[in-house]
Amino acid sequence: MSSIQNISLSGSKKQVSNKEMTFLERLYLIAIVKGLWITIKHFFSKKATIHYPEQVREFSPVYRGQHMLKRDEQGRENCTACGLCALSCPAEAITMKAAERKPDEKHLYREEKYAEIYEINMLRCIFCGLCEEACPKDAIYLTISKELVPAQYHREDFIFGKDKLVMPLEMAIANTKNLN
């Protein structure tokens, strides 16, 4: 029969000694000197702080910034609301609702189906880029802009809809000129 003191959950048992401290150990002088020595060493080392507005830290080459929904060379949205980006998102940050394109909207949308509602919850998003990789139409991508998500006070302000995500028309036209 084993007593409760003999049971070890991890399988390893460690004997703890309760030895008496010496006079020098009770004064804590050695511990204080060791702590001061570490502080003095850090005082003369290089600082990790940068002065933000004047100095900007260099971003990694694989940096992923804010999301953007692309337009084609004619200014039409690329997204066909297939939902693969929402399925691939591990944080479940993307929601969308598909709708049928009306005949008078051919200049707005590429295909018969389009995303009537496309929202990304930026509080949930982990900027992994899986939505970008899953998209067969190359409709969503993560930019290399330095601004990630602007600070807000209300949760609703962190849900980015098509008004904040769709590429501006001027940018789509400029991109086409750069390709030619």
Side-chain angles (χ1 to χ4, degrees):
M1 184 169 200
S2 65
S3 68
I4 194 95
Q5 295 162 345
N6 295 335
I7 296 173
S8 171
L9 295 176
S10 63
S12 63
K13 202 171 186 182
K14 189 173 184 180
Q15 194 71 351
V16 179
S17 66
N18 198 6
K19 69 172 188 132
E20 198 63 31
M21 288 198 303
T22 64
F23 178 72
L24 284 174
E25 288 174 335
R26 282 191 299 223
L27 286 179
Y28 296 109
L29 283 178
I30 296 172
I32 291 171
V33 170
K34 282 182 182 177
L36 282 173
W37 177 247
I38 291 172
T39 304
I40 291 169
K41 264 194 335 190
H42 284 287
F43 187 72
F44 293 109
S45 66
K46 186 177 182 281
K47 308 293 184 269
T49 307
I50 62 165
H51 301 287
Y52 173 63
E54 295 84 26
Q55 296 175 332
V56 179
R57 183 167 286 156
E58 198 172 306
F59 283 96
S60 167
V62 293
Y63 168 76
R64 296 181 178 103
Q66 207 161 13
H67 298 75
M68 189 171 282
L69 287 172
K70 279 188 187 174
R71 293 181 186 260
D72 65 1
E73 60 277 348
Q74 297 172 353
R76 301 176 299 184
E77 291 180 20
N78 285 2
C79 182
T80 58
C82 64
L84 289 175
C85 56
L87 285 172
S88 68
C89 182
E92 297 178 359
I94 301 173
T95 55
M96 68 173 59
K97 181 183 173 192
E100 292 285 327
R101 179 183 72 186
K102 295 172 181 58
D104 60 330
E105 294 178 332
K106 284 188 177 186
H107 66 286
L108 294 175
Y109 309 107
R110 233 176 162 171
E111 310 277 334
E112 288 80 32
K113 235 173 87 177
Y114 72 97
E116 182 180 31
I117 297 171
Y118 192 100
E119 295 178 339
I120 300 178
N121 186 341
M122 291 301 186
L123 293 174
R124 286 183 142 192
C125 181
I126 57 174
F127 297 92
C128 62
L130 291 176
C131 56
E132 182 179 15
E133 291 176 22
C135 185
K137 299 291 182 177
D138 197 30
I140 187 165
Y141 72 103
L142 281 82
T143 62
I144 54 172
S145 68
K146 304 290 187 231
E147 185 178 328
L148 208 55
V149 179
Q152 302 289 338
Y153 287 105
H154 304 288
R155 284 182 159 296
E156 298 82 35
D157 297 333
F158 288 103
I159 298 175
F160 284 20
K162 285 177 74 171
D163 57 328
K164 293 181 183 176
L165 293 173
V166 175
M167 176 187 286
L169 190 56
E170 303 81 35
M171 188 185 290
I173 293 169
N175 285 349
T176 351
K177 288 178 183 173
N178 290 342
L179 292 176
N180 296 334

